[in-house]
Amino acid sequence: MAVWVLLEGTNTSGIVVQVKTIVFEGAIGTRGCDVDLESTPSVKRSALDGAKAAYHILSAEGMLIRSITADYELIDSPLNIHGDSAGLAFALGLIQEVVDVNLTVLAATGIVQSNGGIQAIEGLNSKLRTLEAIMPNGGCVFYPRTNDQELNG
């Protein structure tokens, strides 16, 4: 399954980047989550926030019993991407890798908060316009519910 992160470019256009996720498990009895990703500091922070939230959920559900490292790769990514709104995509990428969810394409944008909540983001309309041009039928898009009024406004 493909997981795409929706970001906002510097000229207010949307950027869609595919995320490849590989999960490495640590020794039994170890706990915690780490991330391996080559990107800008804000995207790395977003990946770590998303991975930690996903790890917490998966551990609470008994699906993880040891520490993990989420190895993320941004496929054909522009060099200077930034922003905190990638966290939800990274979280969902990790979850789909551990749970083996069978969706054709998944795209997401949203800031993952320390309590696991998803915070509203900026530029949802531009992100969705960009995604619309490449999203195949049967794909799913996830974004913060608090952004609904932006779509209806």
Side-chain angles (χ1 to χ4, degrees):
M1 171 177 93
V3 175
W4 294 342
V5 59
L6 307 176
L7 297 165
E8 189 171 21
T10 54
N11 61 356
T12 69
S13 64
I15 297 172
V16 178
V17 179
Q18 186 175 351
V19 178
K20 179 180 176 184
T21 306
I22 300 173
V23 176
F24 298 98
E25 293 188 66
I28 292 178
T30 60
R31 305 297 286 167
C33 178
D34 197 9
V35 167
D36 186 14
L37 171 67
E38 291 187 27
S39 190
T40 59
S42 64
V43 174
K44 284 182 184 179
R45 183 177 54 253
S46 187
L48 185 57
D49 291 345
K52 284 182 176 180
Y55 178 83
H56 177 74
I57 291 167
L58 293 166
S59 293
E61 293 296 321
M63 295 177 178
L64 286 174
I65 58 170
R66 58 186 79 189
S67 63
I68 62 164
T69 297
D71 185 359
Y72 294 114
E73 179 184 353
L74 301 175
I75 309 296
D76 297 328
S77 172
L79 294 177
N80 192 22
I81 61 172
H82 58 86
D84 296 324
S85 65
L88 181 58
F90 287 117
L92 292 173
L94 192 150
I95 290 170
Q96 72 85 25
E97 185 68 20
V98 171
V99 178
D100 195 25
V101 177
N102 190 16
L103 296 172
T104 305
V105 175
L106 172 74
T109 186
I111 299 168
V112 176
Q113 299 172 315
S114 60
N115 66 359
I118 306 299
Q119 180 179 323
I121 50 95
E122 294 180 8
L124 180 61
N125 284 324
S126 66
K127 293 174 184 184
L128 294 177
R129 278 194 301 276
T130 302
L131 179 64
E132 185 177 41
I134 62 172
M135 183 77 149
N137 288 337
C140 297
V141 180
F142 294 86
Y143 62 88
R145 182 182 322 173
T146 52
N147 279 96
D148 276 346
Q149 65 185 14
E150 182 179 340
L151 294 178
N152 299 326

